[in-house]
Structures are given as structure tokens and as C-alpha cells.
mmCIF file of all heavy atoms in Angstrom:
data_model
loop_
_atom_site.group_PDB
_atom_site.id
_atom_site.type_symbol
_atom_site.label_atom_id
_atom_site.label_comp_id
_atom_site.label_asym_id
_atom_site.label_seq_id
_atom_site.Cartn_x
_atom_site.Cartn_y
_atom_site.Cartn_z
ATOM 1 N N ARG A 1 42.776 -3.741 -18.542
ATOM 2 C CA ARG A 1 43.739 -2.658 -18.327
ATOM 3 C C ARG A 1 43.569 -1.546 -19.357
ATOM 4 O O ARG A 1 43.468 -0.370 -18.994
ATOM 5 C CB ARG A 1 45.164 -3.206 -18.384
ATOM 6 C CG ARG A 1 46.209 -2.105 -18.296
ATOM 7 C CD ARG A 1 47.604 -2.626 -18.113
ATOM 8 N NE ARG A 1 48.566 -1.532 -18.164
ATOM 9 C CZ ARG A 1 49.729 -1.525 -17.529
ATOM 10 N NH1 ARG A 1 50.053 -2.544 -16.770
ATOM 11 N NH2 ARG A 1 50.556 -0.506 -17.631
ATOM 12 N N ALA A 2 43.545 -1.894 -20.623
ATOM 13 C CA ALA A 2 43.459 -0.866 -21.675
ATOM 14 C C ALA A 2 42.151 -0.090 -21.583
ATOM 15 O O ALA A 2 42.133 1.139 -21.718
ATOM 16 C CB ALA A 2 43.592 -1.527 -23.049
ATOM 17 N N TRP A 3 41.057 -0.794 -21.343
ATOM 18 C CA TRP A 3 39.760 -0.129 -21.284
ATOM 19 C C TRP A 3 39.651 0.730 -20.030
ATOM 20 O O TRP A 3 39.052 1.816 -20.053
ATOM 21 C CB TRP A 3 38.645 -1.154 -21.344
ATOM 22 C CG TRP A 3 37.265 -0.586 -21.450
ATOM 23 C CD1 TRP A 3 36.170 -0.993 -20.754
ATOM 24 C CD2 TRP A 3 36.807 0.462 -22.318
ATOM 25 N NE1 TRP A 3 35.058 -0.263 -21.119
ATOM 26 C CE2 TRP A 3 35.423 0.641 -22.074
ATOM 27 C CE3 TRP A 3 37.434 1.273 -23.264
ATOM 28 C CZ2 TRP A 3 34.663 1.602 -22.740
ATOM 29 C CZ3 TRP A 3 36.676 2.231 -23.933
ATOM 30 C CH2 TRP A 3 35.306 2.385 -23.679
ATOM 31 N N SER A 4 40.255 0.294 -18.915
ATOM 32 C CA SER A 4 40.273 1.101 -17.691
ATOM 33 C C SER A 4 40.991 2.415 -17.928
ATOM 34 O O SER A 4 40.520 3.487 -17.500
ATOM 35 C CB SER A 4 40.955 0.337 -16.556
ATOM 36 O OG SER A 4 40.233 -0.823 -16.192
ATOM 37 N N GLN A 5 42.129 2.359 -18.609
ATOM 38 C CA GLN A 5 42.870 3.584 -18.929
ATOM 39 C C GLN A 5 42.036 4.508 -19.806
ATOM 40 O O GLN A 5 42.025 5.725 -19.603
ATOM 41 C CB GLN A 5 44.182 3.235 -19.638
ATOM 42 C CG GLN A 5 45.187 2.504 -18.769
ATOM 43 C CD GLN A 5 46.408 2.098 -19.559
ATOM 44 O OE1 GLN A 5 46.678 0.919 -19.762
ATOM 45 N NE2 GLN A 5 47.164 3.070 -20.029
ATOM 46 N N GLN A 6 41.355 3.936 -20.786
ATOM 47 C CA GLN A 6 40.537 4.740 -21.685
ATOM 48 C C GLN A 6 39.398 5.414 -20.933
ATOM 49 O O GLN A 6 39.086 6.587 -21.165
ATOM 50 C CB GLN A 6 39.986 3.855 -22.802
ATOM 51 C CG GLN A 6 39.142 4.580 -23.834
ATOM 52 C CD GLN A 6 39.935 5.627 -24.598
ATOM 53 O OE1 GLN A 6 41.146 5.509 -24.756
ATOM 54 N NE2 GLN A 6 39.255 6.660 -25.067
ATOM 55 N N ILE A 7 38.788 4.686 -20.012
ATOM 56 C CA ILE A 7 37.702 5.255 -19.206
ATOM 57 C C ILE A 7 38.217 6.414 -18.365
ATOM 58 O O ILE A 7 37.599 7.485 -18.293
ATOM 59 C CB ILE A 7 37.069 4.172 -18.306
ATOM 60 C CG1 ILE A 7 36.283 3.178 -19.156
ATOM 61 C CG2 ILE A 7 36.164 4.807 -17.255
ATOM 62 C CD1 ILE A 7 35.768 1.985 -18.371
ATOM 63 N N GLY A 8 39.367 6.215 -17.703
ATOM 64 C CA GLY A 8 39.943 7.285 -16.894
ATOM 65 C C GLY A 8 40.253 8.517 -17.724
ATOM 66 O O GLY A 8 39.990 9.650 -17.292
ATOM 67 N N SER A 9 40.783 8.306 -18.919
ATOM 68 C CA SER A 9 41.093 9.438 -19.805
ATOM 69 C C SER A 9 39.831 10.182 -20.208
ATOM 70 O O SER A 9 39.808 11.417 -20.262
ATOM 71 C CB SER A 9 41.827 8.929 -21.048
ATOM 72 O OG SER A 9 43.072 8.350 -20.707
ATOM 73 N N GLN A 10 38.758 9.447 -20.495
ATOM 74 C CA GLN A 10 37.499 10.079 -20.870
ATOM 75 C C GLN A 10 36.905 10.862 -19.712
ATOM 76 O O GLN A 10 36.386 11.972 -19.893
ATOM 77 C CB GLN A 10 36.513 9.024 -21.357
ATOM 78 C CG GLN A 10 36.882 8.386 -22.686
ATOM 79 C CD GLN A 10 35.852 7.385 -23.154
ATOM 80 O OE1 GLN A 10 34.691 7.436 -22.768
ATOM 81 N NE2 GLN A 10 36.277 6.446 -23.985
ATOM 82 N N MET A 11 36.974 10.306 -18.518
ATOM 83 C CA MET A 11 36.412 10.996 -17.361
ATOM 84 C C MET A 11 37.162 12.294 -17.066
ATOM 85 O O MET A 11 36.551 13.293 -16.670
ATOM 86 C CB MET A 11 36.450 10.089 -16.127
ATOM 87 C CG MET A 11 35.570 8.856 -16.231
ATOM 88 S SD MET A 11 35.572 7.844 -14.716
ATOM 89 C CE MET A 11 34.558 8.885 -13.632
ATOM 90 N N ALA A 12 38.461 12.259 -17.256
ATOM 91 C CA ALA A 12 39.279 13.441 -16.980
ATOM 92 C C ALA A 12 39.441 14.347 -18.197
ATOM 93 O O ALA A 12 40.032 15.422 -18.100
ATOM 94 C CB ALA A 12 40.653 13.010 -16.483
ATOM 95 N N SER A 13 38.921 13.898 -19.352
ATOM 96 C CA SER A 13 39.015 14.674 -20.613
ATOM 97 C C SER A 13 40.458 14.939 -21.007
ATOM 98 O O SER A 13 40.834 16.048 -21.401
ATOM 99 C CB SER A 13 38.244 15.987 -20.500
ATOM 100 O OG SER A 13 36.873 15.742 -20.300
ATOM 101 N N VAL A 14 41.300 13.910 -20.878
ATOM 102 C CA VAL A 14 42.696 14.010 -21.307
ATOM 103 C C VAL A 14 42.994 12.840 -22.239
ATOM 104 O O VAL A 14 42.273 11.839 -22.267
ATOM 105 C CB VAL A 14 43.656 13.984 -20.103
ATOM 106 C CG1 VAL A 14 43.486 15.232 -19.255
ATOM 107 C CG2 VAL A 14 43.456 12.732 -19.256
ATOM 108 N N SER A 15 44.071 12.974 -22.995
ATOM 109 C CA SER A 15 44.449 11.910 -23.919
ATOM 110 C C SER A 15 45.267 10.829 -23.227
ATOM 111 O O SER A 15 45.363 9.697 -23.710
ATOM 112 C CB SER A 15 45.252 12.489 -25.086
ATOM 113 O OG SER A 15 46.399 13.179 -24.603
ATOM 114 N N PHE A 16 45.850 11.165 -22.087
ATOM 115 C CA PHE A 16 46.682 10.198 -21.359
ATOM 116 C C PHE A 16 46.535 10.451 -19.872
ATOM 117 O O PHE A 16 46.576 11.599 -19.417
ATOM 118 C CB PHE A 16 48.150 10.334 -21.771
ATOM 119 C CG PHE A 16 49.088 9.465 -20.980
ATOM 120 C CD1 PHE A 16 49.187 8.112 -21.240
ATOM 121 C CD2 PHE A 16 49.862 10.012 -19.969
ATOM 122 C CE1 PHE A 16 50.047 7.309 -20.502
ATOM 123 C CE2 PHE A 16 50.725 9.218 -19.228
ATOM 124 C CZ PHE A 16 50.818 7.865 -19.498
ATOM 125 N N ILE A 17 46.348 9.395 -19.123
ATOM 126 C CA ILE A 17 46.248 9.515 -17.666
ATOM 127 C C ILE A 17 47.452 8.833 -17.031
ATOM 128 O O ILE A 17 47.787 7.692 -17.371
ATOM 129 C CB ILE A 17 44.912 8.914 -17.176
ATOM 130 C CG1 ILE A 17 44.658 9.278 -15.727
ATOM 131 C CG2 ILE A 17 44.865 7.403 -17.358
ATOM 132 C CD1 ILE A 17 43.220 9.027 -15.277
ATOM 133 N N SER A 18 48.134 9.528 -16.131
ATOM 134 C CA SER A 18 49.376 9.024 -15.550
ATOM 135 C C SER A 18 49.103 8.256 -14.266
ATOM 136 O O SER A 18 48.447 8.758 -13.346
ATOM 137 C CB SER A 18 50.316 10.207 -15.257
ATOM 138 O OG SER A 18 51.525 9.748 -14.689
ATOM 139 N N PHE A 19 49.613 7.015 -14.206
ATOM 140 C CA PHE A 19 49.419 6.189 -13.012
ATOM 141 C C PHE A 19 50.654 5.332 -12.771
ATOM 142 O O PHE A 19 51.481 5.130 -13.663
ATOM 143 C CB PHE A 19 48.174 5.306 -13.157
ATOM 144 C CG PHE A 19 48.225 4.375 -14.343
ATOM 145 C CD1 PHE A 19 48.745 3.100 -14.219
ATOM 146 C CD2 PHE A 19 47.761 4.785 -15.583
ATOM 147 C CE1 PHE A 19 48.800 2.241 -15.301
ATOM 148 C CE2 PHE A 19 47.810 3.939 -16.679
ATOM 149 C CZ PHE A 19 48.328 2.668 -16.539
ATOM 150 N N PHE A 20 50.772 4.831 -11.556
ATOM 151 C CA PHE A 20 51.895 3.974 -11.205
ATOM 152 C C PHE A 20 51.718 2.590 -11.841
ATOM 153 O O PHE A 20 50.586 2.168 -12.100
ATOM 154 C CB PHE A 20 52.013 3.848 -9.687
ATOM 155 C CG PHE A 20 52.451 5.116 -9.011
ATOM 156 C CD1 PHE A 20 51.522 5.957 -8.408
ATOM 157 C CD2 PHE A 20 53.794 5.482 -9.002
ATOM 158 C CE1 PHE A 20 51.921 7.131 -7.795
ATOM 159 C CE2 PHE A 20 54.204 6.655 -8.396
ATOM 160 C CZ PHE A 20 53.265 7.492 -7.787
ATOM 161 N N PRO A 21 52.817 1.884 -12.093
ATOM 162 C CA PRO A 21 52.744 0.624 -12.849
ATOM 163 C C PRO A 21 52.267 -0.577 -12.038
ATOM 164 O O PRO A 21 52.613 -1.708 -12.341
ATOM 165 C CB PRO A 21 54.187 0.411 -13.318
ATOM 166 C CG PRO A 21 55.015 1.055 -12.269
ATOM 167 C CD PRO A 21 54.227 2.255 -11.824
ATOM 168 N N TYR A 22 51.495 -0.345 -11.012
ATOM 169 C CA TYR A 22 50.882 -1.473 -10.304
ATOM 170 C C TYR A 22 49.385 -1.230 -10.227
ATOM 171 O O TYR A 22 48.923 -0.117 -10.015
ATOM 172 C CB TYR A 22 51.483 -1.684 -8.916
ATOM 173 C CG TYR A 22 51.573 -0.457 -8.037
ATOM 174 C CD1 TYR A 22 50.489 -0.051 -7.254
ATOM 175 C CD2 TYR A 22 52.738 0.299 -7.992
ATOM 176 C CE1 TYR A 22 50.571 1.064 -6.446
ATOM 177 C CE2 TYR A 22 52.830 1.417 -7.196
ATOM 178 C CZ TYR A 22 51.749 1.803 -6.420
ATOM 179 O OH TYR A 22 51.829 2.919 -5.633
ATOM 180 N N ILE A 23 48.652 -2.291 -10.422
ATOM 181 C CA ILE A 23 47.200 -2.215 -10.495
ATOM 182 C C ILE A 23 46.616 -3.300 -9.589
ATOM 183 O O ILE A 23 47.120 -4.425 -9.562
ATOM 184 C CB ILE A 23 46.706 -2.439 -11.935
ATOM 185 C CG1 ILE A 23 47.341 -1.404 -12.871
ATOM 186 C CG2 ILE A 23 45.191 -2.356 -12.019
ATOM 187 C CD1 ILE A 23 47.141 -1.724 -14.335
ATOM 188 N N ARG A 24 45.578 -2.948 -8.890
ATOM 189 C CA ARG A 24 44.898 -3.952 -8.063
ATOM 190 C C ARG A 24 43.662 -4.436 -8.812
ATOM 191 O O ARG A 24 42.786 -3.639 -9.144
ATOM 192 C CB ARG A 24 44.494 -3.364 -6.718
ATOM 193 C CG ARG A 24 43.988 -4.445 -5.738
ATOM 194 C CD ARG A 24 43.812 -3.895 -4.344
ATOM 195 N NE ARG A 24 42.660 -2.995 -4.279
ATOM 196 C CZ ARG A 24 42.657 -1.854 -3.591
ATOM 197 N NH1 ARG A 24 43.743 -1.457 -2.972
ATOM 198 N NH2 ARG A 24 41.564 -1.112 -3.552
ATOM 199 N N ALA A 25 43.621 -5.719 -9.070
ATOM 200 C CA ALA A 25 42.489 -6.293 -9.796
ATOM 201 C C ALA A 25 41.782 -7.304 -8.910
ATOM 202 O O ALA A 25 42.406 -8.236 -8.391
ATOM 203 C CB ALA A 25 42.969 -6.958 -11.080
ATOM 204 N N GLU A 26 40.482 -7.108 -8.726
ATOM 205 C CA GLU A 26 39.697 -8.023 -7.920
ATOM 206 C C GLU A 26 39.290 -9.243 -8.745
ATOM 207 O O GLU A 26 39.215 -9.176 -9.974
ATOM 208 C CB GLU A 26 38.440 -7.324 -7.389
ATOM 209 C CG GLU A 26 38.708 -6.040 -6.613
ATOM 210 C CD GLU A 26 39.444 -6.282 -5.313
ATOM 211 O OE1 GLU A 26 39.424 -7.432 -4.833
ATOM 212 O OE2 GLU A 26 40.055 -5.339 -4.783
ATOM 213 N N LYS A 27 39.039 -10.345 -8.075
ATOM 214 C CA LYS A 27 38.574 -11.551 -8.760
ATOM 215 C C LYS A 27 37.184 -11.272 -9.335
ATOM 216 O O LYS A 27 36.313 -10.750 -8.635
ATOM 217 C CB LYS A 27 38.522 -12.722 -7.787
ATOM 218 C CG LYS A 27 38.118 -14.039 -8.432
ATOM 219 C CD LYS A 27 38.121 -15.163 -7.414
ATOM 220 C CE LYS A 27 37.693 -16.483 -8.052
ATOM 221 N NZ LYS A 27 37.690 -17.599 -7.075
ATOM 222 N N PRO A 28 36.947 -11.594 -10.614
ATOM 223 C CA PRO A 28 35.618 -11.329 -11.194
ATOM 224 C C PRO A 28 34.526 -12.084 -10.459
ATOM 225 O O PRO A 28 34.720 -13.217 -10.003
ATOM 226 C CB PRO A 28 35.774 -11.815 -12.641
ATOM 227 C CG PRO A 28 36.936 -12.747 -12.632
ATOM 228 C CD PRO A 28 37.859 -12.235 -11.572
ATOM 229 N N THR A 29 33.378 -11.442 -10.344
ATOM 230 C CA THR A 29 32.255 -12.043 -9.628
ATOM 231 C C THR A 29 31.002 -12.029 -10.503
ATOM 232 O O THR A 29 30.830 -11.159 -11.350
ATOM 233 C CB THR A 29 31.959 -11.281 -8.323
ATOM 234 O OG1 THR A 29 31.686 -9.895 -8.638
ATOM 235 C CG2 THR A 29 33.138 -11.356 -7.375
ATOM 236 N N ILE A 30 30.145 -13.008 -10.256
ATOM 237 C CA ILE A 30 28.857 -13.047 -10.932
ATOM 238 C C ILE A 30 27.855 -12.291 -10.073
ATOM 239 O O ILE A 30 27.701 -12.577 -8.890
ATOM 240 C CB ILE A 30 28.384 -14.494 -11.140
ATOM 241 C CG1 ILE A 30 29.375 -15.249 -12.030
ATOM 242 C CG2 ILE A 30 26.993 -14.536 -11.754
ATOM 243 C CD1 ILE A 30 29.073 -16.723 -12.172
#
């Protein structure tokens, strides 16, 4: 979660990216 937010902020060149408090996370795969 934290790293996803950081990536989004870097892509958009902002210090904070606003999103709704629900996240869809897929099961990790090899």
C-alpha cells in the first residue's frame, strides 16, 4: 500500500495522491 501510493505520487509529480479508502489487491503470483 505505502509503496503503491509513493509510485502514484512520483508518476503524477505530486506529494500526495488522493484516492478512495478501498483498494483491490490481487493474489500474488509466481
Side-chain angles (χ1 to χ4, degrees):
R1 175 170 175 151
W3 187 224
S4 296
Q5 293 176 246
Q6 182 63 28
I7 290 173
S9 297
Q10 291 182 23
M11 295 183 74
S13 297
V14 293
S15 57
F16 175 77
I17 192 166
S18 180
F19 59 91
F20 291 99
Y22 50 85
I23 302 168
R24 189 170 71 220
E26 305 294 341
K27 183 179 179 180
T29 58
I30 298 174

